[in-house]
Amino acid sequence: MMPGQGTDGRASGSPLAVVVKGYPRLSETFIAQELLAFQERGIDLAIWSLRHPTDTRRHALHDRITAPVHYLPEYLRDEPRRVLRALGLLVRRHPARLGRTALLWLRDLMRDRSANRVRRFGQALVLAAELPARTPFIYAHFLHTPASVGRYAAAIRGIGWGFSAHAKDIWTTPEWEKREKLADARFGVTCTAVGAAHLRGLAAEPGRIDLVYHGLDLGRFPAPPDRAAAALPQDGSAPDRAVEILSVGRLVEKKGYDRLLDALAMLPDGLHWRLVHIGSGDLKQALRAQAERLGLTERIDWRGSQDQAAVIAALRRADLFVLTSVVAGDGDRDGLPNVLMEAASQRLAILSTAVAAIPEFIADGVHGLLTDGSPPAVAAGLERLAADPALRRRLGDAAYDRLRAEFGMTAGIDRLVRRLEEAAA
């Protein structure tokens, strides 16, 4: 029996609580894809978000998710009465568990004296107080803040919790915190083999950690275009048929866009290209200024955040896809970016970097080209792909075949549902 489901297969009135950092988010289609898959399998769930949405657009995928969405106090000062009301209710209903959890939180606070740690406990109080009476389980996306809130709330309510870890949350969370969460959670899943190996190395019971690739719901994507049918494939030799290079990603350090711009500036004058970028982020102004200094402004189309339909249209129109992921100064890095699988779904040749879990999907020279992320190496890869349409077709076809054979969504959802069933039993 699935969590949130009665013995007759219908919703039981006690939904699975899913804790997320923000909802909905354009950059987290993998979470929306998973929630929709749960819903289609009859799992009754409720979404508890730590933050209100900041994106001005949303994917059509979000519109298909009918689960209720509850927003916890983003900042405790914004809703002090709600927090105090939750505390009073929990003192009356769960005094012993509340006291033990408060001591757990204080121990964490002594090692992480931050406003964020205080906010986590306040949000957990509200979550624990407002969860329906028969909530069977708390499932948190991301091992850092959402897992903390879920863990504290589960301890107060006396129920189990589990998590799905991804990238930044794995590599920037302190080791002591990861060890304690791994010991406490009923299970944890992560979307890369490198992440799973790291967490298993910290876990007292490595078997609690499972590798579950997000995969891609290919039913949401159109059949790829026939790239071999192009009458005049772009090879960068004609000014009026520039090679269109597409990149989709947040403008943050770990995406390596400063290196990509340096690489583009190294391309030979006789190679005609244009870059289309989709995404936004904190480095937007700095990167645009860099492009201007390098004399690239007229060849770059900065499109900002776009919905899934616009991203798919851009993937179908582009000649090649590039994502120059790097390890950021604070240790943050990508896992296996879903956008690489999305590019493969349209048979688009991929140039990326051998960072984190990217080689788990792309073998260099087989499913795409991987570089070390240095501007000269990226420039060499771009020049090679731009000038060789046949190579682009071969790599795009191979990535598409691998996606269909090994990175579909269904197997991962099957595994995750089994974990939830076992943990909530």
Side-chain angles (χ1 to χ4, degrees), residues 331-353:
D332 188 14
R333 67 200 75 180
D334 276 327
L336 174 52
N338 255 41
V339 72
L340 295 179
M341 289 183 277
E342 293 173 3
S345 80
Q346 301 306 302
R347 294 186 186 271
L348 193 56
I350 296 168
L351 172 69
S352 193
T353 50

Side-chain angles (χ1 to χ4, degrees), residues 141-213:
H141 263 285
F142 294 105
L143 187 54
H144 49 11
T145 305
S148 293
V149 174
R151 180 192 184 199
Y152 297 144
I156 295 169
R157 289 292 297 268
I159 60 177
W161 72 282
F163 65 85
S164 181
H166 302 288
K168 179 179 182 178
D169 52 325
I170 295 176
W171 305 111
T172 63
T173 299
E175 185 170 306
W176 64 263
E177 186 172 353
K178 285 184 284 193
R179 288 185 183 276
E180 292 178 13
K181 285 177 175 175
L182 292 170
D184 198 34
R186 297 256 178 101
F187 76 88
V189 300
T190 189
C191 52
T192 67
V194 65
H198 175 75
L199 293 178
R200 286 168 181 158
L202 297 174
E205 296 182 39
R208 291 189 186 184
I209 308 302
D210 216 345
L211 170 61
V212 177
Y213 287 114

Side-chain angles (χ1 to χ4, degrees), residues 2-26:
M2 298 181 190
Q5 194 178 70
T7 55
D8 59 357
R10 294 178 296 184
S12 67
S14 50
L16 169 72
V18 181
V19 179
V20 296
K21 193 167 186 180
Y23 184 87
R25 282 186 163 180
L26 287 174

Side-chain angles (χ1 to χ4, degrees), residues 279-311:
S280 189
D282 295 341
L283 298 181
K284 178 173 68 173
Q285 296 306 322
L287 290 168
R288 291 191 180 196
Q290 180 185 353
E292 186 171 0
R293 289 195 305 272
L294 294 170
L296 304 177
T297 300
E298 299 304 316
R299 305 176 82 168
I300 301 178
D301 181 2
W302 303 98
R303 295 188 180 173
S305 298
Q306 301 282 308
D307 62 19
Q308 187 82 68
V311 172

Side-chain angles (χ1 to χ4, degrees), residues 20 23 34 40 43 49 70 102 138 144 152 154 206 208 233 264 286 298 301 310 320 330-331 348 361-362 411 414:
V20 296
Y23 184 87
E34 180 184 283
E40 291 175 343
I43 297 179
S49 178
H70 308 278
I138 296 175
H144 49 11
Y152 297 144
R208 291 189 186 184
L264 290 169
E298 299 304 316
D301 181 2
L320 65 97
D330 64 355
L348 193 56
F361 178 56
I362 299 172
D414 288 345

Side-chain angles (χ1 to χ4, degrees), residues 113-409:
R113 297 172 183 265
S114 66
N116 183 39
R117 183 68 61 175
V118 175
R119 186 165 58 248
R120 294 183 198 191
F121 191 63
Q123 290 176 317
L125 293 176
V126 175
L127 177 59
E130 296 183 4
L131 282 174
R134 294 185 295 163
T135 297
F137 196 75
I138 296 175
Y139 171 57
H141 263 285
F142 294 105
L143 187 54
H144 49 11
T145 305
S148 293
V149 174
R151 180 192 184 199
Y152 297 144
I156 295 169
R157 289 292 297 268
I159 60 177
W161 72 282
F163 65 85
S164 181
H166 302 288
K168 179 179 182 178
D169 52 325
I170 295 176
W171 305 111
T172 63
T173 299
E175 185 170 306
W176 64 263
E177 186 172 353
K178 285 184 284 193
R179 288 185 183 276
E180 292 178 13
K181 285 177 175 175
L182 292 170
D184 198 34
R186 297 256 178 101
F187 76 88
V189 300
T190 189
C191 52
T192 67
V194 65
H198 175 75
L199 293 178
R200 286 168 181 158
L202 297 174
E205 296 182 39
R208 291 189 186 184
I209 308 302
D210 216 345
L211 170 61
V212 177
Y213 287 114
H214 296 308
L216 205 64
D217 180 3
L218 290 171
R220 294 193 292 110
F221 292 80
D226 184 357
R227 297 188 180 274
L232 293 171
Q234 285 93 331
D235 62 5
S237 60
D240 61 339
R241 293 186 62 78
V243 173
E244 185 163 307
I245 302 167
L246 174 66
S247 188
V248 181
R250 289 182 297 130
L251 297 173
V252 295
E253 184 185 358
K254 71 178 178 180
K255 298 297 183 180
Y257 283 116
D258 56 336
R259 301 187 185 199
L260 175 59
L261 292 177
D262 286 340
L264 290 169
M266 295 176 181
L267 293 176
D269 293 338
L271 182 67
H272 300 282
W273 59 268
R274 65 189 297 265
L275 173 70
V276 173
H277 176 267
I278 294 176
S280 189
D282 295 341
L283 298 181
K284 178 173 68 173
Q285 296 306 322
L287 290 168
R288 291 191 180 196
Q290 180 185 353
E292 186 171 0
R293 289 195 305 272
L294 294 170
L296 304 177
T297 300
E298 299 304 316
R299 305 176 82 168
I300 301 178
D301 181 2
W302 303 98
R303 295 188 180 173
S305 298
Q306 301 282 308
D307 62 19
Q308 187 82 68
V311 172
I312 291 173
L315 290 169
R316 294 174 66 80
R317 188 170 52 248
D319 296 302
L320 65 97
F321 186 87
V322 61
L323 188 68
T324 49
S325 300
V326 299
V327 178
D330 64 355
D332 188 14
R333 67 200 75 180
D334 276 327
L336 174 52
N338 255 41
V339 72
L340 295 179
M341 289 183 277
E342 293 173 3
S345 80
Q346 301 306 302
R347 294 186 186 271
L348 193 56
I350 296 168
L351 172 69
S352 193
T353 50
V355 169
I358 292 172
E360 294 175 34
F361 178 56
I362 299 172
D364 181 35
V366 180
H367 313 104
L369 298 184
L370 298 182
T371 76
D372 63 7
S374 66
V378 174
L382 287 173
E383 184 178 358
R384 181 182 174 194
L385 286 175
D388 193 341
L391 174 61
R392 296 201 302 264
R393 288 196 299 271
R394 177 174 67 78
L395 296 175
D397 288 347
Y400 177 74
D401 291 343
R402 182 155 203 227
L403 172 68
R404 290 185 59 87
E406 301 179 48
F407 286 84
M409 179 187 69

